[in-house]
Amino acid sequence: MKELPNTAKVVVIGGGVVGTSTAYHLAKFGWKNIILLERDQLTSGTTWHAAGLVSQLGPSAAITKIRKYSLELYKELEKEIDFSSGLKLNGALSIATTEGRWQELKRQATTAQLYDVNVEVLNIDEVEKTYPIINKKDILGGIFMPGDGQADPIGVTNLLAKAARKEGVKIFEQCPVEKILKKNGRVAGVIVNGQTIECEYIVLATGMWSRQIGEDMGFSIPLYPAEHFYVITEAINELPKNIPVLRDFNDSLYLKEDAGKMLIGIFEPKSIPAFRETNRVPGDFSYGEFPENFEHFEPFLEAALKRVPILEKAGIRKFFSGPESFTPDTNTLLGEVPDFKNLFACCGLNSIGIGSGGGVGKVTAEWLMNGHINEDLFIYDIKRFQNFHSEINFIKERVTESLGDLYGMHWPFKQHKTSRDKKLLPYHEELKKVGACFGVSGGYERPMWYSLNGKNPEYKYSYNYQNWFPSAEYETKNTRENVGLFELTPFSKYDLKGENVYEDLQRICTANIKKEVGKCTYTQMLNSDGGIETDLTVICFNENHFRIITAAANRERDKFHIKKYISENTKLSDVTDEFCVLGLFGPKSRDLLKGLSNEDFTNSNFKFGTGKNINIKNIQIWAQRLSYVGDLGYELYIKISDAKEIYNLIVDEGKKFNLSHCGVHAMDIMRMESGFLHWGHDISPEENQYEANLDFTISYKKNIEFIGKKALEDIKLNKLNKKFVMLTLKDSEPGKPLMLHDEPIYLNEKIIGRTTSANYSFSYNKNLAFGYVNSDYTNELNNGNLEIEIEKIRYKADYLEKKLNQKDYKLV
């Protein structure tokens, strides 16, 4: 065996497709002294048994880019290295046998136009022509992607390994990492076969072992393996050699031709967690398989025989059952691990590792080398999760559902059913009694909407009219007219204290932070390239104590970004779980509070954008006059121990003012009516503040070189690539059509941009969309034929120059 080095710049742990890809890209981009350590042999974990499907279209622009890049990389390296990856691009056909699935496929075909992916919408006869051996019974239509297909997983990995070696990467097999070394909170090295290798960075490309490696070392990697099944038939003479991959989502099936045989695989709705007795993957589980479970597989095999009748003539050559790791939301885990500097995750590929491997390796290398990425990849960022997501009881139950999510319906607003009720509010039962339909936000059970007239508070999923629309109509209109009570507890909350805290905030925020006690500042934090990393509010408690409020979903990510830049003597405390937060919004919110507290709530004494302590029944509460819905309103920060009592007092007093409980859907509708942007939809590291119309939060006057300032100054001098816009449909009805996001925006028959958020406004009877358009066309939006395309149908649209909600309660 080759002698191991004593030092390296980067150690990549794991010799599957993503590990070899990451090592290759690090070296290709110019870093030297890269080593890859594989505990056994390359591909011996899960890569070797992958089905090897490659598909270009992903759920977002950045993921589609990753997948398209992967495919092009394999093609280029085949020529460069003169080694086959087994690419066979006969296309992929997805069929629909229900109306909902047919709508979903047409939406995918619509979105594909934004990303230059060729997707053809096929009728039943065209489906049969594309796949002559199909039984077309029950099929409503399909979509065909000519550029998709399959590859050989072992071939792809060895191709990447050869390319990596050519760039100078040293690959060591039979080298299991026994321990990851940490010093002063950062990577220090690894111990392998009793030898220490010092290094600056580690990439954890360890697949299904990643969670337990993290558990042993004290960090969180939320994934777990489930049993994954496929069969390979005997040779079938009638099987066309150039047949495309077939996906029959409603029957949980994929079928691909494999050297004259057929591989039939499944992503079933209820999967089986692997290694159930020990909850750990054995360290020596190489090229491992599980016993056959024909009883579990049989219903899906029967469906395959009905869909492709010639399979009935073929015997089964191989029944495969093996482990494949899945994450809580069926999306990959990338990026730096919180509280472990220079340790990067690149795992949790959810059975799409071959089709994504080239791209995720590239992104990981860029992320590691630059310290950030300028693409909207929050959907893949490991920091979207909290520590509890990797706890065995949570993740083991969740993978029974998340495996099936791959082929399950991707309904709008869909909520998981497994691993629920992990974080309950003190007044959870009270909310349930008044009709709350709960979703998960930042780990908390949070009301999405409230049922009316005693109806069952459950989603009836649809791509058309939503069954919660009547609730959202009542909640939004009543808030505009009276007062609404909104549950805001999941908002991420951090207290920063220290002598340098103000200077730190000035350096990491773009706005000039107000230093006066009780003053609130709305601002963003950027990366060095000017991309928007965080959207936040900063509140001054005193000169050495400030609080930051950010989005619920961004808790770990935003905390990571802040801690990355603050001084050593500035202490950050995550106080998210210490306070419940209730929002009282609407024109009668002030009067309601007057009935509960003796404080002076007049405008002159309690201005917009300020906060102060108030007393309700001798309980001290921090109240701040801010509103994400655009009306007069207050956010109340209540200690958890007092929250239930205060909630009940508010509800009781609210009866005098026709108070309504309001959910997340109502708040999202109202924030759009008010023109407020949402990080993760409307803004991300892909956007800068000039593109997003947020340049009012930039202060060039403050005497500090804040992060991203130089980039902003350059952006200001140059032409913008895109610009934020608000649009409405000319003919608007609720759910006709249902706008969501990533729908193409057309001007005079040409795609000029995409939507980022959408809602139906019941107060204004309009379908409302936010989005970005090519800045070349911003002056023509009122003059041309403006349209938004949904499910392959274009709808006439209007450019909205001002927000719908023009009421200004700031001075009232």
Side-chain angles (χ1 to χ4, degrees), residues 648-668:
N648 285 325
L649 287 168
I650 289 172
V651 171
D652 191 50
E653 181 69 17
K655 293 172 184 174
K656 302 173 187 175
F657 303 97
N658 199 26
L659 176 139
S660 58
H661 284 77
C662 302
V664 172
H665 290 308
M667 187 162 70
D668 198 50

Side-chain angles (χ1 to χ4, degrees), residues 2 29 38 89 92 191 193 227 235 289 297 347 430 442 560 568 583 610 622 625 642 645 665 772 791:
K2 292 181 290 185
F29 294 158
E38 162 54 42
L89 304 179
I191 298 176
N193 294 332
E227 296 183 10
E289 298 184 40
F297 191 83
C347 50
E430 282 75 11
F560 175 88
E568 282 188 16
T610 65
W622 177 261
R625 192 177 152 193
D642 298 323
E645 182 180 354
H665 290 308
Y772 287 88
E791 291 179 26

Side-chain angles (χ1 to χ4, degrees), residues 284-389:
D284 59 355
F285 193 84
S286 297
Y287 302 107
E289 298 184 40
F290 300 137
E292 291 183 9
N293 188 342
F294 194 74
E295 183 182 353
H296 183 78
F297 191 83
E298 187 175 23
F300 305 99
L301 180 61
E302 289 177 1
L305 300 184
K306 289 177 183 176
R307 185 58 62 205
V308 183
I310 67 166
L311 295 174
E312 293 175 2
K313 304 175 185 177
I316 294 176
R317 179 178 180 180
K318 167 74 175 172
F319 186 109
F320 174 80
S321 173
E324 187 81 42
S325 63
F326 291 84
T327 62
D329 60 1
T330 330
N331 285 315
T332 298
L333 305 173
L334 301 181
E336 194 169 354
V337 174
D339 298 321
F340 205 137
K341 192 165 177 56
N342 292 353
L343 176 68
F344 281 76
C346 186
C347 50
L349 273 291
N350 302 280
S351 278
I352 52 172
I354 306 306
S356 304
V360 297
K362 173 179 180 283
V363 166
T364 299
E366 291 171 336
W367 207 330
L368 188 152
M369 296 170 80
N370 299 329
H372 65 269
I373 47 170
N374 293 323
E375 294 172 291
D376 181 9
L377 269 174
F378 181 63
I379 191 175
Y380 272 8
D381 192 338
I382 191 170
K383 292 177 286 294
R384 70 189 183 274
F385 291 118
Q386 298 174 37
N387 288 342
F388 78 89
H389 287 108

Side-chain angles (χ1 to χ4, degrees), residues 49 51 226-232 252-254 263-268 270-273 276 290-298 300 318-324 326 351 403:
H49 66 66
E227 296 183 10
H228 183 49
F229 303 89
Y230 60 72
V231 299
I232 301 174
S252 308
L253 294 169
Y254 64 90
L263 183 149
I264 306 165
I266 63 170
F267 289 104
E268 67 274 33
K270 186 172 175 58
S271 71
I272 304 170
R276 294 183 295 284
F290 300 137
E292 291 183 9
N293 188 342
F294 194 74
E295 183 182 353
H296 183 78
F297 191 83
E298 187 175 23
F300 305 99
K318 167 74 175 172
F319 186 109
F320 174 80
S321 173
E324 187 81 42
F326 291 84
S351 278
L403 179 146

